[in-house]
Amino acid sequence: MQRFLTIWMIAITATLMISCGADQAMKKGDKFYAVGEYFDAAKQYRKAYSQTPSKERALKGQRALKMAECYRRINFTTKAISAYNNAVRYKQADSLTHFYLGQLYMKNGNYKEATKQFQTAIDSLPDIDPYWSLAKTGLKSAQMAPQWKKDGSDYIVKREGLFNSRRAEFSPMLAGDDNDQLYFTSTRNQAQGDEYSGITGAKAADIFLSQKDDKGKWSKPQAIDSELNSDFDEGACCFSPDGRTMFLTQCKTDPNYPRYATIVISSRSDAAWSKPTELTILKDTLHSFAHPAVSPNGEWLYFVSDMSGGLGGYDIWRCRLYGNNEVGSVENLGKAVNTPGNEMFPTFRPNGDFYFSSDGHPGMGGLDIYILKNGAKTLEHPGVPLNSQGDDFGMTFEGLHNRGYFSSNRGDTRGYDHIYSFYNPEIIQTVKGWVYEQDGYELPAAQVYMVGNDGTNLKLNVLGDGSFTQEIKSGVDYVILATCKGFLNHQEELHVEPVKKSEEYVLQFPLANISAPVLIENIFYDFDKATLRPESQTALDELVKLLNENPNVTIELSAHTDCRGSDQYNERLSQQRAQNVVNYLIQHGIEKERLTPKGYGESKPKRIKRKVAEKYPFLKEGDILDETFISTLPEEQQEQCHQLNRRTEFIVLRTTYGLFDKAGKLSR
């Protein structure tokens, strides 16, 4: 009898200890859940669930449901399905269990089972509940997805091994004038810090960078070596059009409160990114602001938030960007984009097409990518394989072509995201222009205006290398004008013919400096005479064009000789040459009053600019090619200096010709 009582007491004690351990695990799990640490919460709920006797069906089902919620949030799809089904088995399913099961079966590609679960959710939810509407969309998705999968699309998708690790990589973003830098977010082991996140079970995310070399090969990704990354989560970055400002998401850690994502800003000085500072969109600490995207013209910041006034879940909003990192009032993108579900990861193709991801529109499962084309009012679903049964998001584009990179967790049983490349072989016509100082370097401060006879009227930004690229349409005539403060305008015209494959037009926009002499290249005279040779016509016609494009400018047209021959002879010869150039311009419609011919002979030897010094290694910037300097050089180099001195130039005298009438009033 005593032995029986002892065994009974041991059994009771063990049961109480197990029950106590399960309760303790639930308390820990609830604490982790309250601050959003779903990975750690799931471990505790799993422990509690396994220690709960099967006969306590209600309690076991409740704990299964909490475990399922955590697994769903961290993309452990298979485990979440199992846990939700256990909640159903123990009759503890809540009003949303079947809806979430429908979503999870969609992510597993089980569209038949997803259909059943969404139908059950529709039958059990009131039709005024936003989840009823989402369940209806889910049912439509389950019915449409098999056909999308069968139809496919022109997209070619490839997982990029170099950028990926055994952890998560997502939200790639191309940068650099030649798209030779790829920034992305990763939780790989090389991220900063030694702790692992209670939210994901991985390290806190950092921004990594891979760079392309001259041969087109990408380097091994490295964490950015500056104060940009911290011990917190950084991710989902984008850039201002000039590439000097980075907007990114940051999630700080607080052990006692839920984490709210914020958008922060980092500035680039030389090659280093500064420590980020928070961008205040609203003075509200109770909502998240994440996933920034800057419009191609740099005027708008698009972002994701769960703030009040939206349509449900996470919506995409926008606000105007001003100087000094200040923003205007926020506005919701409305029903064309947002749903009662989640809309996230906005981005732009350089042509103005708007891309984002959503689980609230009909799709393949998880987050699908959608396109709102520039000027369109309805969304486009790009189909398979760009979209999959998993989460697909975070697009970035290599110039105007429909190719680049995105992120997806397709095929990863742990739910980790990875980087994929994509390419759609559509026919695109583009124009690439280079704006630079005539006889000088690029002008990144320039502004370009493009007008087309189809109604196109664009203001284009110039990159740091002086270039711009813009998509154009066949059958359209364009006028493109480049301007820059301190320089004359330059205009080009372009007629675009239909093509059967992608084509790029390349145009040059050399701008003449209004405060320094401008060399007119390829002006030729007969030997020892002032007669213009026929091959000078092309350069002279360009000068006529320039003066017509800048009708309020008057110039001095100067000719220069080398130092050989007498001073009087050289001055007379150069004056005749300058006069002959002016005569040509007058004959081609330029007013005589705008032109002043001047022959300087050998009196103004050429001063070397940096660009000329790069072409002639024996010269350096600032050298003056006078007779004394030239006499110290070898014979071959002397002849090169004489050639540089024999030149035709112009300099702007006034920029107000014709602007005022005789009474001094501004002309019409």
Side-chain angles (χ1 to χ4, degrees):
M1 183 66 176
Q2 181 66 35
R3 185 167 180 272
F4 172 77
L5 287 173
T6 300
I7 294 172
W8 182 79
M9 289 295 293
I10 291 172
I12 290 294
T13 301
T15 301
L16 290 172
M17 288 178 65
I18 291 172
S19 176
C20 182
D23 291 342
Q24 191 67 27
M26 287 300 297
K27 289 180 180 178
K28 288 183 179 179
D30 289 343
K31 185 176 180 180
F32 287 133
Y33 191 93
V35 295
E37 295 183 346
Y38 303 116
F39 181 85
D40 286 348
K43 288 197 296 185
Q44 297 299 323
Y45 291 149
R46 175 67 184 172
K47 180 180 178 181
Y49 175 83
S50 64
Q51 292 180 353
T52 304
S54 297
K55 64 181 180 181
E56 298 187 42
R57 296 179 62 82
L59 188 59
K60 201 169 181 70
Q62 292 165 12
R63 291 173 175 175
L65 189 60
K66 286 199 169 186
M67 184 168 53
E69 287 290 299
C70 293
Y71 285 143
R72 176 179 64 84
R73 290 173 181 270
I74 60 176
N75 279 328
F76 283 22
T77 303
T78 302
K79 289 184 176 181
I81 289 173
S82 178
Y84 275 123
N85 278 325
N86 281 332
V88 172
R89 180 159 62 97
Y90 290 118
K91 301 187 184 304
Q92 295 300 310
D94 64 15
S95 60
L96 296 180
T97 296
H98 293 287
F99 169 73
Y100 288 137
L101 271 171
Q103 286 191 322
L104 291 163
Y105 278 121
M106 287 289 292
K107 295 183 79 168
N108 261 14
N110 188 341
Y111 301 122
K112 183 177 180 181
E113 189 59 40
T115 300
K116 294 179 183 178
Q117 297 296 333
F118 283 131
Q119 189 61 62
T120 302
I122 291 168
D123 294 340
S124 60
L125 289 167
D127 59 9
I128 60 172
D129 192 313
Y131 284 96
W132 181 86
S133 174
L134 287 172
K136 292 280 286 185
T137 301
L139 180 61
K140 184 177 180 180
S141 298
Q143 295 167 344
M144 296 173 66
Q147 189 62 45
W148 273 330
K149 192 172 183 179
K150 180 180 178 182
D151 292 344
S153 72
D154 292 333
Y155 280 91
I156 300 167
V157 169
K158 176 186 175 184
R159 179 166 167 169
E160 295 295 330
L162 176 65
F163 305 136
N164 293 312
S165 69
R166 299 176 69 180
R167 294 291 185 176
E169 289 81 28
F170 59 94
S171 293
M173 184 58 58
L174 285 163
D177 293 338
D178 296 319
N179 294 301
D180 54 359
Q181 303 166 19
L182 185 72
Y183 293 80
F184 62 89
T185 306
S186 179
T187 61
R188 62 185 62 196
N189 292 334
Q190 289 74 32
Q192 287 187 188
D194 298 321
E195 295 185 4
Y196 286 78
S197 169
I199 303 173
T200 63
K203 280 193 171 184
D206 277 350
I207 304 290
F208 283 74
L209 171 64
S210 177
Q211 301 192 72
K212 188 187 292 186
D213 63 21
D214 294 338
K215 297 180 180 179
K217 183 179 180 181
W218 290 101
S219 66
K220 183 179 179 181
Q222 301 290 333
I224 294 179
D225 186 19
S226 74
E227 293 184 288
L228 180 72
N229 289 319
S230 69
D231 291 336
F232 304 126
D233 281 293
E234 283 88 21
C237 69
C238 71
F239 301 93
S240 58
D242 64 7
R244 295 188 174 276
T245 303
M246 179 192 294
F247 298 80
L248 64 152
T249 307
Q250 187 179 76
C251 299
K252 293 186 177 180
T253 302
D254 190 319
N256 300 311
Y257 297 96
R259 264 64 62 88
Y260 296 102
T262 60
I263 293 174
V264 295
I265 295 178
S266 174
S267 299
R268 188 180 66 184
S269 176
D270 295 327
W273 291 100
S274 67
K275 184 177 181 179
T277 57
E278 185 173 341
L279 177 68
T280 302
I281 296 176
L282 288 179
K283 294 180 180 179
D284 183 347
T285 59
L286 300 179
H287 296 293
S288 289
F289 301 92
H291 306 170
V294 178
S295 60
N297 61 10
E299 294 181 1
W300 294 91
L301 177 69
Y302 289 69
F303 61 92
V304 171
S305 180
D306 59 352
M307 74 175 85
S308 56
L311 301 184
Y314 285 95
D315 276 11
I316 298 176
W317 305 69
R318 74 173 188 172
C319 57
R320 192 173 289 278
L321 279 172
Y322 298 108
N324 300 320
N325 297 328
E326 294 182 0
V327 299
S329 58
V330 301
E331 58 184 69
N332 190 282
L333 294 198
K335 293 183 179 180
V337 170
N338 293 316
T339 70
N342 297 301
E343 281 68 49
M344 311 171 83
F345 299 99
T347 192
F348 283 91
R349 189 173 167 184
N351 67 0
D353 291 349
F354 181 62
Y355 287 67
F356 67 97
S357 293
S358 171
D359 62 9
H361 293 281
M364 295 293 298
L367 291 170
D368 268 27
I369 294 167
Y370 298 87
I371 310 168
L372 186 62
K373 292 196 170 178
N374 194 8
K377 295 182 179 180
T378 57
L379 292 181
E380 178 181 316
H381 185 276
V384 178
L386 189 64
N387 284 314
S388 69
Q389 63 198 41
D391 292 323
D392 305 294
F393 61 97
M395 304 280 286
T396 186
F397 294 87
E398 185 182 338
L400 290 169
H401 292 277
N402 199 350
R403 61 175 180 250
Y405 300 93
F406 72 109
S407 39
S408 176
N409 63 7
R410 63 185 70 185
D412 192 298
T413 57
R414 300 163 299 174
Y416 287 140
D417 305 304
H418 300 290
I419 293 175
Y420 289 75
S421 62
F422 70 91
Y423 172 57
N424 188 326
E426 62 189 26
I427 297 175
I428 297 176
Q429 290 177 279
T430 58
V431 57
K432 183 163 189 174
W434 301 89
V435 188
Y436 55 93
E437 180 181 0
Q438 194 165 322
D439 195 31
Y441 291 88
E442 62 274 359
L443 293 172
Q447 192 72 62
V448 175
Y449 299 88
M450 175 185 284
V451 177
N453 62 0
D454 65 338
T456 297
N457 192 341
L458 300 174
K459 180 180 178 182
L460 307 177
N461 292 312
V462 174
L463 300 178
D465 63 351
S467 71
F468 67 89
T469 307
Q470 178 61 39
E471 186 172 354
I472 50 180
K473 301 175 183 177
S474 61
V476 177
D477 294 324
Y478 294 95
V479 175
I480 306 170
L481 177 70
T483 70
C484 189
K485 186 177 181 180
F487 295 85
L488 299 183
N489 299 335
H490 184 92
Q491 179 177 298
E492 291 288 341
E493 297 181 2
L494 179 65
H495 176 72
V496 186
E497 298 285 353
V499 294
K500 294 183 178 180
K501 63 179 182 178
S502 294
E503 183 175 337
E504 182 173 76
Y505 296 84
V506 178
L507 300 177
Q508 306 290 331
F509 293 83
L511 303 190
N513 195 318
I514 64 174
S515 60
V518 178
L519 176 68
I520 309 172
E521 295 189 274
N522 300 319
I523 299 292
F524 305 101
Y525 306 91
D526 286 336
F527 177 71
D528 212 24
K529 294 181 181 179
T531 309
L532 284 166
R533 294 184 60 80
E535 53 265 41
S536 302
Q537 182 176 343
T538 300
L540 291 171
D541 288 345
E542 284 295 317
L543 183 55
V544 171
K545 180 172 176 281
L546 176 67
L547 291 170
N548 283 327
E549 290 168 357
N550 298 271
N552 303 118
V553 165
T554 65
I555 65 170
E556 176 189 275
L557 197 293
S558 62
H560 305 262
T561 67
D562 59 37
C563 61
R564 293 174 293 191
S566 69
D567 292 350
Q568 289 182 337
Y569 177 81
N570 285 336
E571 186 175 327
R572 185 173 63 254
L573 178 63
S574 61
Q575 182 66 37
Q576 291 172 347
R577 287 178 170 179
Q579 185 63 57
N580 282 346
V581 172
V582 165
N583 291 342
Y584 184 95
L585 300 177
I586 293 171
Q587 291 168 10
H588 287 77
I590 306 301
E591 296 95 324
K592 179 180 179 181
E593 293 77 16
R594 298 177 61 194
L595 307 170
T596 301
K598 179 64 178 176
Y600 285 100
E602 60 184 270
S603 64
K604 286 193 173 184
K606 186 174 181 66
R607 179 184 290 272
I608 298 301
K609 292 184 177 181
R610 181 158 55 100
K611 190 173 183 181
V612 177
E614 291 175 356
K615 184 177 180 181
Y616 298 93
F618 67 92
L619 298 174
K620 64 180 184 295
E621 185 178 6
D623 284 344
I624 298 175
L625 305 186
D626 57 20
E627 190 170 3
T628 302
F629 177 87
I630 294 174
S631 65
T632 64
L633 300 174
E635 185 176 343
E636 181 181 350
Q637 294 176 359
Q638 286 188 24
E639 183 55 39
Q640 290 176 318
C641 290
H642 290 318
Q643 290 176 3
L644 290 171
N645 272 330
R646 295 193 297 269
R647 66 198 190 277
T648 303
E649 297 175 335
F650 73 85
I651 188 169
V652 175
L653 300 177
R654 292 168 47 213
T655 58
T656 57
Y657 176 80
L659 285 179
F660 302 95
D661 60 22
K662 292 181 179 179
K665 295 182 179 180
L666 189 67
S667 299
R668 180 178 294 274

